[in-house]
Amino acid sequence: MASTTVDADGAALKALRQAGLRVTNPRRAVLAWLTDHPHSTVDAIGAGVREQLGTVSTQAVYDVLSACTEAGLLRRIEPAGHPARFERRVGDNHHHLVCRRCGRAEDVDCVIGAEPCLTPSDDQGFAVEEAEVVFWGLCPDCVLDERPGLEAHHHKEAKQ
């Protein structure tokens, strides 16, 4: 087992215990896998976890993601027109860049100011806690695909 995998598994174990969640192999595997593969879809997470553990049902992956998101160990992002994605980076108010074509997502730190980063012109009496900003465009690979004379690149979701 590679050193980063051992570190990610140890961090997953610690996070589960601190959150008061029961420690299971699927929970450890999902959290450890997401450490190295942020912004992954359920399908990509399931494939990655199955490589580590063998048989794990898709429903089990959904259950782990739900419990860990509810416990604050994961963040779910839902870019319009793309499947939901999950990441371990929680507890800050960061934003995302999302490719319109392949769905690649990358973190962007808070745009300006202190949390919640953006102040609405009229908060309508809300106590604003967070702002969610998604920057849409084409990732560098898809920009290259747009250029004449270049062969199209095919992206694999598991790469994300």
Side-chain angles (χ1 to χ4, degrees), residues 11-145:
L13 178 63
K14 183 179 177 181
L16 287 165
R17 286 182 175 155
Q18 287 178 337
L21 292 177
R22 191 166 51 92
V23 175
T24 65
N25 286 337
R27 286 179 178 175
R28 287 175 72 170
V30 166
L31 291 177
W33 198 82
L34 277 169
T35 298
D36 294 327
H37 304 90
H39 311 118
S40 293
T41 63
V42 173
D43 289 340
I45 295 164
V49 168
R50 282 188 213 47
E51 284 179 18
Q52 292 177 12
L53 300 180
T55 304
V56 176
S57 72
T58 301
Q59 186 59 53
V61 172
Y62 274 107
D63 292 346
V64 167
L65 293 170
S66 177
C68 290
T69 300
E70 189 173 313
L73 299 178
L74 296 177
R75 181 177 180 187
R76 177 184 173 120
I77 61 170
E78 300 181 56
H82 294 274
R85 295 171 181 277
F86 295 84
E87 65 181 340
R88 293 283 315 267
R89 185 175 172 185
V90 296
D92 69 350
N93 192 34
H94 70 280
H95 308 301
H96 295 94
L97 290 159
V98 178
C99 181
R100 287 188 188 281
R101 179 178 292 153
C102 70
R104 174 180 161 186
E106 297 292 340
D107 290 333
V108 177
D109 288 329
C110 202
V111 182
I112 50 174
E115 288 183 15
C117 297
L118 303 173
T119 304
S121 60
D122 182 356
D123 64 21
Q124 305 288 319
F126 280 67
V128 177
E129 298 170 347
E130 181 178 12
E132 185 174 308
V133 176
V134 177
F135 298 94
W136 291 94
L138 295 178
C139 71
D141 289 339
C142 288
V143 167
L144 285 176
D145 288 349

